[in-house]
Amino acid sequence: MSLIHVKDLAKHFQILNRREGLGGAFRDLLSGNYRTIKAVDGISFDIEAGEIVGYIGPNGAGKSTTIKMMTGILKPSDGQIQINGLAPYQNRIHQAQIMGVVFGQRTQLWWDLPVIESFKILKEIYKVDQKTFDEHMGMFNELVNLKELFSQQVRTLSLGQRMLCDITASFLHNPQIVFLDEPTIGLDISVKAKMRTVIKELNQKRNTTIILTTHDLGDVEALCQRIIIIDKGKILYDGDIKRVNSLFGAYRTLKLQIGDYTDGTLQALKEKFEGQFGKVHNISVAATEEFWTDVTIDQAHTPLSDVLNFVMTNFQVSDVRIVEISMENVVRKVYDGALG
């Protein structure tokens, strides 16, 4: 049997349709007017020991709800979920011994204590022997020089430092499975690189199964061999990341800040692109932020340099940024049949 087995898993929430105003609030006290939100809607997959799986999708797709069911925090509305042969919500104490969890904006460390004291408390909670504890600390010191942070209060750590400590804490008891929910959110490039190194090393040395949820496609590309794409509670794709990279790896978004921007600028930009490059499926133009226009291209069909030269020649551009394709665009293209 697979280490993680999920079959027709669903989680539905009943949400009250609230009315406006004070009078509406009083009427809502006796109201039975509820609607059902299908946060997770009949998903199935199996994950083997030692895999690193990217579990990705836009905000509200159902990623965190799935993680909470897999860790036993939430009970499913329907379907089957087994971690190492057991239902996590029925065996929470036992399952906690084989799991580690990192939620990007929440810490499991004690805010007012020095970092090393938090680690020692977790050592006692998980009944980790001194030899294993020392080996674990030694490995992290070797990877990211963690010893420098031991005497600092958790509250004084930067976001990147705290995330490194939280990942250390999640691996402290040598779990079989670690769930990483947005572990690199808000981190700079150098700290992200350290985080990825740590995750890879622990997976290779300990054969730890890792489930990674993130909006950062760079994390997924650097760490995962397999990805599961979810949206609106349903799985859109489950398979090899190489196939996704072959389709989306060449996509880039050119973010343009155009001077003298007016309501007609976006339409003029679209028309000039069609006139220059033709009406093709691999270029899209949209206004996503105030004063910024996004041009998404597929470099396999249209070189970025050609697009950049065209834009700089025909428009008064005050600023340019080049970014990878967003998670929302990946999901949209999957919906449009890009993965067949």
Side-chain angles (χ1 to χ4, degrees):
M1 179 181 285
S2 302
L3 182 62
I4 300 174
H5 173 69
V6 172
K7 180 70 174 175
D8 299 326
L9 186 67
K11 183 62 181 178
H12 302 162
F13 296 97
Q14 294 292 317
I15 306 295
L16 179 65
N17 288 314
R18 296 188 178 278
R19 286 166 280 204
E20 295 182 8
L22 184 60
F26 278 110
R27 289 195 296 274
D28 285 342
L29 292 173
L30 301 174
S31 173
N33 184 17
Y34 288 86
R35 70 183 187 277
T36 300
I37 302 295
K38 296 181 178 180
V40 175
D41 191 17
I43 64 173
S44 300
F45 57 82
D46 288 278
I47 295 174
E48 304 298 333
E51 281 193 88
I52 304 182
V53 179
Y55 193 60
I56 65 175
N59 290 326
K63 303 186 301 296
S64 293
T65 302
T66 307
I67 297 299
K68 288 174 182 176
M69 286 190 284
M70 294 170 79
T71 53
I73 296 171
L74 292 178
K75 181 180 179 181
S77 302
D78 200 5
Q80 184 182 24
I81 178 169
Q82 291 184 335
I83 308 292
N84 208 21
L86 298 172
Y89 61 92
Q90 293 175 341
N91 304 273
R92 290 197 63 185
I93 294 176
H94 177 270
Q95 295 293 66
Q97 295 291 330
I98 67 166
M99 293 180 186
V101 183
V102 175
F103 288 102
Q105 295 299 327
R106 298 172 191 158
T107 184
Q108 57 186 311
L109 307 174
W110 280 261
W111 207 238
D112 293 312
L113 294 180
V115 169
I116 190 61
E117 295 303 324
S118 286
F119 290 157
K120 287 179 179 178
I121 291 173
L122 290 169
K123 168 182 173 290
E124 297 303 320
I125 289 173
Y126 286 107
K127 297 180 174 61
V128 178
D129 63 81
Q130 190 64 44
K131 181 182 177 183
T132 302
F133 180 78
D134 290 341
E135 287 176 355
H136 186 88
M137 291 296 103
M139 183 174 64
F140 271 89
N141 288 333
E142 185 181 329
L143 289 172
V144 290
N145 199 21
L146 198 67
K147 195 172 183 178
E148 290 185 349
L149 306 177
F150 281 179
S151 61
Q152 287 187 231
Q153 280 182 301
V154 172
R155 66 167 60 249
T156 67
L157 299 176
S158 70
L159 177 60
Q161 290 171 332
R162 182 173 63 76
M163 288 306 303
L164 285 171
C165 291
D166 268 316
I167 286 184
T168 301
S170 70
F171 282 92
L172 185 64
H173 55 294
N174 197 19
Q176 294 181 45
I177 309 162
V178 173
F179 298 94
L180 302 176
D181 191 8
E182 301 286 359
T184 63
I185 189 169
L187 303 185
D188 62 39
I189 293 172
S190 63
V191 177
K192 280 186 181 183
K194 286 183 179 179
M195 202 83 74
R196 291 168 184 170
T197 299
V198 168
I199 293 167
K200 271 187 176 179
E201 284 285 324
L202 291 166
N203 170 257
Q204 291 170 2
K205 288 184 177 180
R206 299 185 174 183
N207 199 39
T208 308
T209 303
I210 295 171
I211 315 300
L212 173 69
T213 70
T214 181
H215 279 79
D216 190 332
L217 291 179
D219 287 344
V220 177
E221 188 173 1
L223 295 169
C224 304
Q225 296 84 41
R226 171 188 173 192
I227 65 168
I228 300 172
I229 301 176
I230 184 173
D231 188 39
K232 297 178 182 176
K234 293 182 177 293
I235 290 178
L236 304 184
Y237 174 79
D238 180 358
D240 196 325
I241 192 172
K242 291 179 181 177
R243 187 169 175 225
V244 177
N245 280 341
S246 68
L247 291 164
F248 302 127
Y251 278 88
R252 292 293 181 273
T253 296
L254 197 64
K255 300 182 77 69
L256 307 171
Q257 197 169 60
I258 298 174
D260 301 323
Y261 191 94
T262 66
D263 292 340
T265 301
L266 181 63
Q267 185 59 37
L269 189 62
K270 289 180 178 178
E271 290 174 358
K272 286 197 174 186
F273 263 100
E274 286 182 10
Q276 175 70 16
F277 298 102
K279 217 169 189 178
V280 292
H281 70 279
N282 57 317
I283 295 182
S284 62
V285 182
T288 55
E289 304 172 53
E290 190 175 6
F291 306 122
W292 286 92
T293 301
D294 285 7
V295 179
T296 300
I297 67 167
D298 180 0
Q299 294 184 99
H301 294 88
T302 310
L304 180 62
S305 57
D306 290 358
V307 176
L308 193 55
N309 288 336
F310 172 74
V311 168
M312 300 300 289
T313 302
N314 289 275
F315 295 90
Q316 184 183 343
V317 178
S318 56
D319 199 1
V320 176
R321 285 187 285 160
I322 300 171
V323 297
E324 293 180 346
I325 186 172
S326 70
M327 185 65 62
E328 286 71 19
N329 275 332
V330 169
V331 171
R332 190 179 304 120
K333 290 181 182 298
V334 173
Y335 264 126
D336 291 342
L339 290 170

